[in-house]
Amino acid sequence: LLPTVSDVSTTEEWKAVSQDIVTKDSSWRSVTVDWPGFGLSDRPAIDYTADTLEKFLVDFVMAQDGPLGSTTGQSPVIAGGGHAATIAAKAIAGGKINARALVAVAPTWAGPLPIVFGQSPDAVSKYGFLRGALRAPAVGWALYNALVSSRSNIRKQYESHVYSESSNVTDAIVDSRLALTKLPGARYAPAAFLTGLLDPVKSREEFVELFGALDGKVPALVMVSTASPRRSRAEMEALRDAKGVAKLVEIPGALLAHEEFPGRVASELYEFLSNL
């Protein structure tokens, strides 16, 4: 189970789904992992890119001495939210991972700035300037605190597009996610995500083609969250009837539907797994 890629990314978002799934079938095992630079992982000042995350995923899944290396010859089902689903799809389509199936919950491919302002040369240049400013000593922390790392900013983020119902955004959730943005090095990977460096593809056409490349390799379940922001949902809807998508369902919620409505996501996931 792969967390979304964002400044509030954490394995905690999958906790309820994980518990539900393994409770339904005690023979199943669930593994979650934080991405490099996010959640509770180390956050060194490296150049974070989509390739960095894909390589980490491949190494993690395929490592013989890793958490998945002790399985009895069975390939794992990989479930991911947002960018994580698309990164996993790219690794599977490229033959770098042996997976039994892919589950994409509210899959995305464009970071916050690229999906809103596009990817013109002028825009990309401005993204690079902002990324450099966020990574700079002193100034970077001040800018990150102003843009992201405050209680009001985290709450606004959740209420606007992370959750679909503001009543579900509790003080405990806000405090938990705020703490993640205060960790040493917390701004480096989110700066890359915000400005598009963690985007696994560069267009809707590539996005659809990527899932099409899964056809004949692994079955893919896509969950479209009905309250996602308009631009993000349009990309999810592009996968409707797309080659390589074995099943597409609509679920409540926004970009973190698996945390806001874990029971519904677990139910769809369980049904899909039971029919593999």
Side-chain angles (χ1 to χ4, degrees), residues 29 31 59-71:
R29 187 164 66 104
V31 175
D59 290 345
F60 181 81
V61 172
M62 303 303 289
Q64 292 302 307
D65 58 349
L68 301 179
S70 59
T71 56

Side-chain angles (χ1 to χ4, degrees), residues 25-181:
D25 191 328
S26 60
S27 68
W28 291 356
R29 187 164 66 104
S30 170
V31 175
T32 58
V33 61
D34 277 319
W35 294 101
F38 296 98
L40 296 178
S41 72
D42 292 336
R43 301 181 178 212
I46 63 174
D47 291 328
Y48 292 92
T49 67
D51 289 342
T52 303
L53 300 193
E54 183 181 349
K55 184 179 186 305
F56 167 79
L57 176 61
V58 172
D59 290 345
F60 181 81
V61 172
M62 303 303 289
Q64 292 302 307
D65 58 349
L68 301 179
S70 59
T71 56
T72 57
Q74 290 191 345
S75 298
V77 173
I78 299 178
H83 271 46
T86 311
I87 292 169
K90 191 172 183 180
I92 295 170
K96 298 176 183 178
I97 286 179
N98 296 320
R100 188 179 179 193
L102 173 68
V103 178
V105 182
T108 56
W109 62 267
L113 292 181
I115 201 168
V116 174
F117 299 108
Q119 300 181 73
S120 68
D122 183 57
V124 171
S125 177
K126 291 178 180 178
Y127 301 157
F129 177 80
L130 175 60
R131 184 166 56 249
L134 283 167
R135 291 177 60 92
V139 173
W141 269 118
L143 185 58
Y144 187 64
N145 287 336
L147 295 176
V148 176
S149 187
S150 72
R151 186 167 280 101
S152 60
N153 285 338
I154 296 294
R155 180 173 289 279
K156 182 179 179 181
Q157 183 176 347
Y158 266 80
E159 292 180 345
S160 66
H161 60 273
V162 177
Y163 274 20
S164 62
E165 298 180 14
S166 59
S167 60
N168 290 332
V169 185
T170 65
D171 289 341
I173 288 175
V174 173
D175 289 344
S176 170
R177 303 316 190 252
L178 178 63
L180 294 175
T181 68

Side-chain angles (χ1 to χ4, degrees), residues 6 35 81 96 123 159 169 204 217 223 255 275:
S6 76
W35 294 101
K96 298 176 183 178
E159 292 180 345
V169 185
R204 178 183 295 179
K217 292 184 178 181
M223 299 190 199
L255 295 182
N275 292 319

Side-chain angles (χ1 to χ4, degrees), residues 2-9 13-14 80-85 104-112 115-116 157-165 193 223-236 251-261 265:
L2 302 172
T4 54
V5 175
S6 76
D7 50 288
V8 294
S9 171
E13 66 196 52
W14 280 107
H83 271 46
V105 182
T108 56
W109 62 267
I115 201 168
V116 174
Q157 183 176 347
Y158 266 80
E159 292 180 345
S160 66
H161 60 273
V162 177
Y163 274 20
S164 62
E165 298 180 14
F193 170 67
M223 299 190 199
V224 175
S225 50
T226 56
S228 287
R230 178 176 55 84
R231 289 184 178 91
S232 295
R233 181 169 178 181
E235 303 308 315
M236 301 175 203
I251 57 173
L255 295 182
L256 216 56
H258 50 290
E259 182 177 59
E260 188 178 9
F261 297 100
V265 171

Side-chain angles (χ1 to χ4, degrees), residues 257-274:
H258 50 290
E259 182 177 59
E260 188 178 9
F261 297 100
R264 178 62 183 278
V265 171
S267 178
E268 295 288 355
L269 180 56
Y270 180 77
E271 180 182 349
F272 181 68
L273 296 179
S274 298

